[in-house]
PDB file of all heavy atoms in Angstrom:
ATOM      1  N   TYR O  37      24.379  -9.797 -10.320  1.00 98.00           N
ATOM      2  CA  TYR O  37      23.762 -10.191 -11.578  1.00 98.00           C
ATOM      3  C   TYR O  37      22.408  -9.498 -11.736  1.00 98.00           C
ATOM      4  O   TYR O  37      21.592  -9.454 -10.812  1.00 98.00           O
ATOM      5  CB  TYR O  37      23.620 -11.715 -11.587  1.00 98.00           C
ATOM      6  CG  TYR O  37      23.105 -12.309 -12.860  1.00 98.00           C
ATOM      7  CD1 TYR O  37      23.691 -12.013 -14.089  1.00 98.00           C
ATOM      8  CD2 TYR O  37      22.047 -13.205 -12.833  1.00 98.00           C
ATOM      9  CE1 TYR O  37      23.227 -12.594 -15.262  1.00 98.00           C
ATOM     10  CE2 TYR O  37      21.572 -13.789 -13.997  1.00 98.00           C
ATOM     11  CZ  TYR O  37      22.170 -13.485 -15.210  1.00 98.00           C
ATOM     12  OH  TYR O  37      21.701 -14.054 -16.364  1.00 98.00           O
ATOM     13  N   CYS O  38      22.189  -8.944 -12.927  1.00 97.00           N
ATOM     14  CA  CYS O  38      20.978  -8.159 -13.207  1.00 97.00           C
ATOM     15  C   CYS O  38      19.698  -8.910 -12.876  1.00 97.00           C
ATOM     16  O   CYS O  38      18.755  -8.341 -12.316  1.00 97.00           O
ATOM     17  CB  CYS O  38      20.948  -7.748 -14.677  1.00 97.00           C
ATOM     18  SG  CYS O  38      22.254  -6.619 -15.156  1.00 97.00           S
ATOM     19  N   VAL O  39      19.638 -10.170 -13.237  1.00 98.00           N
ATOM     20  CA  VAL O  39      18.427 -10.957 -12.997  1.00 98.00           C
ATOM     21  C   VAL O  39      18.129 -11.033 -11.503  1.00 98.00           C
ATOM     22  O   VAL O  39      16.978 -10.906 -11.076  1.00 98.00           O
ATOM     23  CB  VAL O  39      18.551 -12.371 -13.616  1.00 98.00           C
ATOM     24  CG1 VAL O  39      17.372 -13.243 -13.219  1.00 98.00           C
ATOM     25  CG2 VAL O  39      18.670 -12.276 -15.128  1.00 98.00           C
ATOM     26  N   ASP O  40      19.165 -11.208 -10.694  1.00 98.00           N
ATOM     27  CA  ASP O  40      18.964 -11.272  -9.240  1.00 98.00           C
ATOM     28  C   ASP O  40      18.441  -9.938  -8.704  1.00 98.00           C
ATOM     29  O   ASP O  40      17.563  -9.919  -7.836  1.00 98.00           O
ATOM     30  CB  ASP O  40      20.274 -11.641  -8.541  1.00 98.00           C
ATOM     31  CG  ASP O  40      20.741 -13.051  -8.886  1.00 98.00           C
ATOM     32  OD1 ASP O  40      19.887 -13.891  -9.255  1.00 98.00           O
ATOM     33  OD2 ASP O  40      21.957 -13.310  -8.787  1.00 98.00           O
ATOM     34  N   VAL O  41      18.960  -8.845  -9.233  1.00 98.00           N
ATOM     35  CA  VAL O  41      18.490  -7.514  -8.823  1.00 98.00           C
ATOM     36  C   VAL O  41      17.030  -7.344  -9.228  1.00 98.00           C
ATOM     37  O   VAL O  41      16.198  -6.894  -8.432  1.00 98.00           O
ATOM     38  CB  VAL O  41      19.373  -6.393  -9.427  1.00 98.00           C
ATOM     39  CG1 VAL O  41      18.778  -5.016  -9.118  1.00 98.00           C
ATOM     40  CG2 VAL O  41      20.803  -6.492  -8.900  1.00 98.00           C
ATOM     41  N   LEU O  42      16.702  -7.714 -10.446  1.00 98.00           N
ATOM     42  CA  LEU O  42      15.322  -7.574 -10.924  1.00 98.00           C
ATOM     43  C   LEU O  42      14.334  -8.416 -10.118  1.00 98.00           C
ATOM     44  O   LEU O  42      13.212  -7.986  -9.854  1.00 98.00           O
ATOM     45  CB  LEU O  42      15.238  -7.933 -12.408  1.00 98.00           C
ATOM     46  CG  LEU O  42      15.924  -6.940 -13.343  1.00 98.00           C
ATOM     47  CD1 LEU O  42      15.969  -7.492 -14.761  1.00 98.00           C
ATOM     48  CD2 LEU O  42      15.230  -5.593 -13.308  1.00 98.00           C
ATOM     49  N   ILE O  43      14.757  -9.597  -9.709  1.00 98.00           N
ATOM     50  CA  ILE O  43      13.892 -10.444  -8.874  1.00 98.00           C
ATOM     51  C   ILE O  43      13.601  -9.748  -7.551  1.00 98.00           C
ATOM     52  O   ILE O  43      12.461  -9.746  -7.067  1.00 98.00           O
ATOM     53  CB  ILE O  43      14.537 -11.831  -8.662  1.00 98.00           C
ATOM     54  CG1 ILE O  43      14.493 -12.628  -9.975  1.00 98.00           C
ATOM     55  CG2 ILE O  43      13.844 -12.595  -7.522  1.00 98.00           C
ATOM     56  CD1 ILE O  43      15.324 -13.890  -9.965  1.00 98.00           C
ATOM     57  N   GLN O  44      14.612  -9.114  -6.976  1.00 98.00           N
ATOM     58  CA  GLN O  44      14.413  -8.404  -5.709  1.00 98.00           C
ATOM     59  C   GLN O  44      13.549  -7.150  -5.895  1.00 98.00           C
ATOM     60  O   GLN O  44      12.734  -6.817  -5.034  1.00 98.00           O
ATOM     61  CB  GLN O  44      15.757  -8.046  -5.073  1.00 98.00           C
ATOM     62  CG  GLN O  44      16.534  -9.260  -4.598  1.00 98.00           C
ATOM     63  CD  GLN O  44      15.718 -10.142  -3.672  1.00 98.00           C
ATOM     64  OE1 GLN O  44      15.126  -9.670  -2.703  1.00 98.00           O
ATOM     65  NE2 GLN O  44      15.651 -11.426  -3.980  1.00 98.00           N
ATOM     66  N   VAL O  45      13.719  -6.472  -7.016  1.00 98.00           N
ATOM     67  CA  VAL O  45      12.867  -5.308  -7.315  1.00 98.00           C
ATOM     68  C   VAL O  45      11.413  -5.756  -7.426  1.00 98.00           C
ATOM     69  O   VAL O  45      10.503  -5.104  -6.891  1.00 98.00           O
ATOM     70  CB  VAL O  45      13.336  -4.598  -8.609  1.00 98.00           C
ATOM     71  CG1 VAL O  45      12.306  -3.581  -9.077  1.00 98.00           C
ATOM     72  CG2 VAL O  45      14.686  -3.926  -8.385  1.00 98.00           C
ATOM     73  N   ALA O  46      11.181  -6.879  -8.076  1.00 98.00           N
ATOM     74  CA  ALA O  46       9.821  -7.406  -8.199  1.00 98.00           C
ATOM     75  C   ALA O  46       9.248  -7.758  -6.825  1.00 98.00           C
ATOM     76  O   ALA O  46       8.061  -7.523  -6.561  1.00 98.00           O
ATOM     77  CB  ALA O  46       9.810  -8.622  -9.116  1.00 98.00           C
ATOM     78  N   ALA O  47      10.074  -8.301  -5.959  1.00 98.00           N
ATOM     79  CA  ALA O  47       9.617  -8.650  -4.610  1.00 98.00           C
ATOM     80  C   ALA O  47       9.219  -7.402  -3.826  1.00 98.00           C
ATOM     81  O   ALA O  47       8.198  -7.391  -3.126  1.00 98.00           O
ATOM     82  CB  ALA O  47      10.705  -9.425  -3.872  1.00 98.00           C
ATOM     83  N   VAL O  48      10.009  -6.341  -3.953  1.00 98.00           N
ATOM     84  CA  VAL O  48       9.688  -5.085  -3.276  1.00 98.00           C
ATOM     85  C   VAL O  48       8.394  -4.502  -3.835  1.00 98.00           C
ATOM     86  O   VAL O  48       7.534  -4.031  -3.084  1.00 98.00           O
ATOM     87  CB  VAL O  48      10.852  -4.070  -3.394  1.00 98.00           C
ATOM     88  CG1 VAL O  48      10.427  -2.679  -2.960  1.00 98.00           C
ATOM     89  CG2 VAL O  48      12.044  -4.539  -2.580  1.00 98.00           C
ATOM     90  N   ARG O  49       8.261  -4.529  -5.148  1.00 97.00           N
ATOM     91  CA  ARG O  49       7.038  -4.009  -5.774  1.00 97.00           C
ATOM     92  C   ARG O  49       5.815  -4.770  -5.262  1.00 97.00           C
ATOM     93  O   ARG O  49       4.790  -4.170  -4.926  1.00 97.00           O
ATOM     94  CB  ARG O  49       7.142  -4.101  -7.292  1.00 97.00           C
ATOM     95  CG  ARG O  49       5.973  -3.453  -7.996  1.00 97.00           C
ATOM     96  CD  ARG O  49       6.040  -3.540  -9.503  1.00 97.00           C
ATOM     97  NE  ARG O  49       7.301  -3.034 -10.039  1.00 97.00           N
ATOM     98  CZ  ARG O  49       8.098  -3.722 -10.842  1.00 97.00           C
ATOM     99  NH1 ARG O  49       7.798  -4.939 -11.224  1.00 97.00           N
ATOM    100  NH2 ARG O  49       9.206  -3.200 -11.298  1.00 97.00           N
ATOM    101  N   ALA O  50       5.909  -6.090  -5.184  1.00 97.00           N
ATOM    102  CA  ALA O  50       4.791  -6.901  -4.696  1.00 97.00           C
ATOM    103  C   ALA O  50       4.482  -6.576  -3.236  1.00 97.00           C
ATOM    104  O   ALA O  50       3.312  -6.474  -2.851  1.00 97.00           O
ATOM    105  CB  ALA O  50       5.112  -8.386  -4.857  1.00 97.00           C
ATOM    106  N   ALA O  51       5.518  -6.387  -2.440  1.00 98.00           N
ATOM    107  CA  ALA O  51       5.315  -6.061  -1.027  1.00 98.00           C
ATOM    108  C   ALA O  51       4.662  -4.691  -0.862  1.00 98.00           C
ATOM    109  O   ALA O  51       3.765  -4.513  -0.025  1.00 98.00           O
ATOM    110  CB  ALA O  51       6.648  -6.117  -0.280  1.00 98.00           C
TER     111      ALA O  51
END
Side-chain angles (χ1 to χ4, degrees):
Y37 185 52
C38 294
V39 173
D40 294 335
V41 174
L42 291 171
I43 289 169
Q44 292 306 310
V45 168
V48 168
R49 186 181 307 126

